[in-house]
Amino acid sequence: MEEAAHYGDQLSTVDSKGKRKWIYALQPKGKLYKYRSLLSLVYLLAFFGLPFVRIKGVPLFLFNFPQATFIFFGKVFLPQDFILLGIGMLAVLLFIIVFTFVYGRVFCGWACPQTIFMEMVFRRIEYWIEGPAQKQRANDHKEWTTELYVRKGIKHMVFFLLSFLIANTFLAYIIGTEALYHIMTDPVSEHIGGFLAILGFTIAFYVVYAFVRELVCTVVCPYGRLQSVLLDKNSLVVAYDYIRGEPRGKRKKTEANAPAGDCIDCNMCVQVCPTGIDIRNGLQLECTNCTACIDACNMMMEKVHKPLNLIRIASEAAIAENRKPRINYRTKGYAAVLIALLIVLSSLIITRAKFDATVLRVPGQVLQENPDGTVSNLYRIKIVSKSMRPESYRLALDSKDARIEYVGKHLDSLYTGKSAEETFFIKVDTGKVMRRKEQYTLRILSGDELIQTKEVTFIGTY
Ligand code: SF4
Ligand code: SF4
């Protein structure tokens, strides 16, 4: 109980002298750890494989911040799509809020790349090279042998190589695999920026996974800090059933002498915890909901023939009232808003045109009377393509009485993200202009495919 007395006064990763306490987390065993391992495998395959997936030559995902070009599921988004971006960000924010209200921090323990790489990749490599957590702790606290130096050296080399691989994949999401291939195969002098980016990311990942580790979740990550405002007593979290578990105590030889609570104070839940906390002290910001303590405690419950799930996914209210978790009205309200936003976002994405065009009458230009018996207005079109391929482009009018005449060189194709513009007259036979203002429909086509229509105003003779 001494630890409980200090609960809230000290960090699990800092000792009484203010020094970092290294966490030697035992490898969990159990059903949930198996599920996490499977999920991580799928996740890792997706992470390393997705940059290579292309649909008709277009990457499935690309987040090219330097060129402000983003591709989601093969669809290109440019700075012109700021409305979509705004709604998308709002939807993501709401999703995070709703998800956290209901499921607490389960994303951190099960789907966050930091946790997956740390717990399922780097820590496992550490177990393979340096042995289980108890052995690592014992070795680190005695004089290092040559064997230990060699093992540590190999571990750090593997960590660095793996960080290099992650850095390259990470960069492939930003600049694409083709650009990455050029950085890797061309002389370094031709891609100094790219080379420095790879080196920088590699060092950053290596430092995070070799040294910073759980501090990313407990100190650095802003999402972790948000928990204190997002969670309420109905949120699902990894929770210790103190009503069933207390008073805790070691099992005596005879059941008669045993403490009344089911917790046998074996400390296994603390030993497997990658952030070094004791979940029996209640909900803590350091808990990433990785569920390792559930597996550890269930293993102990099986051994002492007690019902499982003394630690389980439950809400604080459900534990206190000994009932099943419930979803409250606030969460339902946020979920309804989120669904509405997702519907708006999906319909905007589905109906989004391949070209984005703005057509304006050239300012200062009035009606022009021509020697060929026509009158004309001058227009300028600014157009940008959101397709990943060069696209053919042309304009047409929806009227037999009017025709287009280009000024200067006429555009016939558009390239992704490159804004193009051209100037043209709309010419109409004088006798056909019946009103002061006529409306014509300008058709923007790619080949025979109609991409967009724009209404343009034609100033007539009277
Ligand atoms: S308390 Fe349990 S769920 Fe939370 S981080 Fe520690 S082991 Fe994971
Ligand atoms: S693992 Fe379970 S039984 Fe052991 S100390 Fe933790 S809560 Fe108690």
Side-chain angles (χ1 to χ4, degrees):
M1 296 299 284
E2 197 201 345
E3 198 173 333
H6 289 298
Y7 165 61
D9 294 344
Q10 61 184 52
L11 289 169
S12 57
T13 45
V14 177
D15 69 14
S16 52
K17 291 186 185 133
K19 275 189 166 171
R20 165 99 180 264
K21 242 200 275 176
W22 194 256
I23 305 286
Y24 297 92
L26 285 184
Q27 184 168 19
K29 287 189 187 86
K31 199 167 71 179
L32 293 170
Y33 188 63
K34 269 191 204 141
Y35 291 149
R36 275 174 73 203
S37 303
L38 269 176
L39 190 73
S40 304
L41 188 66
V42 174
Y43 188 98
L44 291 170
L45 285 174
F47 175 76
F48 288 112
L50 281 178
F52 296 96
V53 179
R54 285 181 149 59
I55 303 170
K56 294 183 188 160
V58 179
L60 194 62
F61 294 106
L62 190 77
F63 307 94
N64 196 331
F65 288 94
Q67 291 178 8
T69 304
F70 305 93
I71 302 176
F72 291 98
F73 296 102
K75 279 204 168 245
V76 182
F77 294 85
L78 300 170
Q80 288 86 346
D81 293 308
F82 62 91
I83 293 180
L84 285 178
L85 190 75
I87 297 177
M89 283 171 72
L90 212 59
V92 169
L93 193 72
L94 256 181
F95 177 77
I96 291 173
I97 293 174
V98 175
F99 191 84
T100 311
F101 271 154
V102 183
Y103 298 107
R105 211 175 161 179
V106 73
F107 167 83
C108 301
W110 283 64
C112 173
Q114 161 67 17
T115 312
I116 287 183
F117 276 109
M118 185 65 243
E119 300 307 322
M120 295 295 164
V121 181
F122 285 87
R123 209 185 287 277
R124 281 182 170 197
I125 291 170
E126 197 166 61
Y127 292 139
W128 289 332
I129 298 175
E130 286 198 60
Q134 308 92 318
K135 192 175 169 195
Q136 288 176 29
R137 186 198 299 270
N139 283 341
D140 282 354
H141 288 87
K142 62 186 184 194
E143 207 168 314
W144 286 19
T145 59
T146 314
E147 186 196 332
L148 188 59
Y149 275 113
V150 172
R151 283 183 187 276
K152 295 251 183 215
I154 294 173
K155 178 184 91 173
H156 283 284
M157 217 160 63
V158 176
F159 275 18
F160 195 82
L161 287 175
L162 207 51
S163 302
F164 177 72
L165 182 66
I166 297 171
N168 276 279
T169 312
F170 187 65
L171 209 59
Y173 279 99
I174 299 174
I175 58 172
T177 45
E178 281 164 19
L180 183 67
Y181 178 77
H182 285 300
I183 294 178
M184 297 182 83
T185 51
D186 293 349
V188 173
S189 57
E190 286 179 25
H191 301 284
I192 298 280
F195 175 75
L196 288 177
I198 293 179
L199 189 68
F201 282 136
T202 303
I203 292 173
F205 286 128
Y206 169 69
V207 169
V208 162
Y209 294 119
F211 306 106
V212 185
R213 299 184 157 211
E214 74 286 344
L215 296 185
V216 172
C217 314
T218 59
V219 180
V220 182
C221 176
Y223 179 58
R225 311 279 70 71
L226 271 177
Q227 304 305 304
S228 51
V229 285
L230 291 181
L231 297 184
D232 67 9
K233 60 181 176 21
N234 288 306
S235 303
L236 288 178
V237 289
V238 171
Y240 165 67
D241 187 344
Y242 56 90
I243 292 178
R244 198 186 120 192
E246 300 297 321
R248 68 185 78 165
K250 304 266 184 231
R251 282 294 104 187
K252 299 288 187 300
K253 282 192 176 128
T254 59
E255 277 293 313
N257 294 335
D262 277 359
C263 173
I264 56 171
D265 209 11
C266 63
N267 227 31
M268 279 304 285
C269 49
V270 182
Q271 289 188 40
V272 292
C273 179
T275 60
I277 59 167
D278 186 342
I279 195 64
R280 293 172 298 170
N281 290 331
L283 180 62
Q284 291 149 77
L285 278 182
E286 291 90 340
C287 178
T288 60
N289 276 18
C290 74
T291 63
C293 53
I294 299 182
D295 275 335
C297 188
N298 280 346
M299 197 174 74
M300 299 317 292
M301 290 295 106
E302 266 174 9
K303 280 190 184 159
V304 295
H305 308 293
K306 291 276 179 192
L308 303 184
N309 298 325
L310 178 58
I311 301 175
R312 61 179 178 273
I313 305 241
S315 67
E316 246 182 75
I319 296 262
E321 294 158 25
N322 198 16
R323 59 160 171 82
K324 286 209 155 73
R326 279 185 216 131
I327 293 178
N328 61 19
Y329 287 112
R330 184 172 59 153
T331 310
K332 284 180 190 163
Y334 277 118
V337 177
L338 175 66
I339 291 168
L341 268 181
L342 287 177
I343 291 171
V344 173
L345 186 66
S346 320
S347 51
L348 281 176
I349 290 175
I350 290 165
T351 56
R352 200 179 69 126
K354 191 157 66 176
F355 301 158
D356 193 27
T358 319
V359 188
L360 291 171
R361 246 173 3 96
V362 175
Q365 293 287 324
V366 285
L367 172 84
Q368 205 169 312
E369 291 186 31
N370 304 307
D372 59 0
T374 60
V375 284
S376 54
N377 280 194
L378 187 61
Y379 298 86
R380 185 168 295 140
I381 181 165
K382 270 194 178 179
I383 190 152
V384 66
S385 167
K386 295 167 186 175
S387 159
M388 275 309 277
R389 286 173 288 273
E391 295 285 350
S392 70
Y393 148 85
R394 68 189 172 93
L395 296 176
L397 278 171
D398 245 8
S399 163
K400 288 197 289 306
D401 301 332
R403 63 179 188 276
I404 292 172
E405 200 173 288
Y406 294 96
V407 178
K409 197 172 175 292
H410 164 46
L411 279 174
D412 57 5
S413 51
L414 299 172
Y415 295 86
T416 318
K418 291 211 169 66
S419 181
E421 77 177 59
E422 65 181 346
T423 312
F424 61 91
F425 285 107
I426 292 184
K427 278 190 159 185
V428 188
D429 290 336
T430 314
K432 304 278 183 184
V433 183
M434 307 304 291
R435 286 180 296 179
R436 173 82 180 96
K437 279 186 180 178
E438 291 282 354
Q439 289 292 327
Y440 291 112
T441 305
L442 185 68
R443 292 153 60 86
I444 301 165
L445 300 125
S446 181
D448 290 331
E449 186 190 353
L450 175 67
I451 307 295
Q452 246 182 341
T453 55
K454 293 273 171 189
E455 291 301 313
V456 290
T457 306
F458 186 92
I459 306 292
T461 42
Y462 52 87

